[in-house]
């Protein structure tokens, strides 16, 4: 089974490849038809977009290669990992929060989606319910206890 993030990246890649091979050449051709290329802002903008799209395609292809090493079966069971829903209690304030651990491309802090590579994500990684972690935050060191853990395998 493919990870949801892979589907999104492949969709983005396909859209950019379509833009590079279909839309941008038309824009370049149309801009070139306006005459002198040395002072043609439309042509310059299309060339810059073409360079950006090529770079983004290379970046996405690299990330897809990296993520292709992951599959649902390679994600550890019983501990915090990608796809886990983790409830933590702030031991200093007593407040509880629920987070879902995701790859950086899926982050949405307002929705509780935090990255594996964030300070809290790194601290929680491979921990289980009952474990305590300490995290350096902009407000100083915070201590959290994992009160509930639902892994990707349990959610599927």
């Amino acid at each position: 089974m493919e990870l949801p993030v892979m589907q999104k990246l492949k969709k983005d890649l396909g859209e950019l490849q379509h833009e590079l091979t279909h839309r941008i050449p038309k824009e370049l051709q149309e801009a070139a038809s306006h005459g002198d290329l040395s002072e043609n802002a439309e042509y310059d903008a299309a060339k810059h977009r073409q360079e950006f799209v090529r770079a983004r395609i290379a970046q996405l292809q690299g990330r897809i290669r990296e993520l292709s090493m992951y599959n649902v079966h390679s994600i550890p069971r019983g501990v915090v990992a990608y796809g886990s829903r983790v409830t933590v209690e702030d031991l200093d304030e007593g407040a509880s929060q629920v987070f879902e651990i995701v790859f950086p491309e899926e982050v949405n802090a307002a929705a509780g989606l935090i990255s594996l590579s964030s300070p809290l994500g790194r601290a929680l990684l491979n921990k289980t319910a009952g474990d305590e972690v300490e995290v350096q935050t902009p407000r100083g060191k915070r201590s959290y206890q994992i009160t509930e853990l639902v892994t990707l395998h349990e959610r599927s």
Side-chain angles (χ1 to χ4, degrees):
M1 184 176 142
E2 191 172 70
L3 299 173
V5 67
M6 289 288 281
Q7 295 165 355
K8 180 190 179 308
L9 292 177
K10 286 179 179 179
K11 178 181 176 279
D12 292 350
L13 178 62
E15 289 171 1
L16 288 172
Q17 287 172 328
H18 178 79
E19 180 179 356
L20 184 65
T21 57
H22 293 88
R23 283 200 307 258
I24 292 175
K26 286 178 185 171
E27 290 173 13
L28 286 170
Q29 187 177 19
E30 184 178 319
S33 71
H34 295 156
D36 185 9
L37 297 182
S38 64
E39 296 181 18
N40 190 326
E42 289 176 20
Y43 186 82
D44 287 344
K47 286 300 277 183
H48 284 351
R49 178 68 186 168
Q50 184 180 45
E51 290 172 23
F52 170 80
V53 169
R54 282 188 177 137
R56 184 70 179 131
I57 285 172
Q59 184 182 40
L60 285 174
Q61 288 171 329
R63 187 64 177 145
I64 287 170
R65 273 193 303 279
E66 289 172 6
L67 291 176
S68 68
M69 293 185 291
Y70 292 93
N71 62 50
V72 173
H73 304 295
S74 68
I75 297 171
R77 295 177 179 272
V79 296
V80 176
Y82 171 79
S84 293
R85 187 175 298 127
V86 186
T87 305
V88 296
E89 180 183 341
D90 184 325
L91 296 176
D92 302 316
E93 296 180 4
S96 287
Q97 288 181 282
V98 178
F99 297 104
E100 185 174 331
I101 308 299
V102 298
F103 287 115
E105 294 83 0
E106 302 170 284
V107 168
N108 180 343
L113 304 177
I114 64 168
S115 170
L116 286 163
S117 58
S118 69
L120 181 57
R122 283 194 314 269
L124 292 172
L125 197 60
N126 295 317
K127 300 290 192 270
T128 188
D131 288 352
E132 290 184 18
V133 297
E134 204 171 78
V135 181
Q136 184 65 44
T137 71
R139 297 187 299 169
K141 277 194 175 168
R142 312 293 295 178
S143 295
Y144 299 95
Q145 181 173 30
I146 300 172
T147 57
E148 186 179 357
L149 168 62
V150 181
T151 67
L152 179 68
H153 303 287
E154 295 166 330
R155 293 174 58 195
S156 298

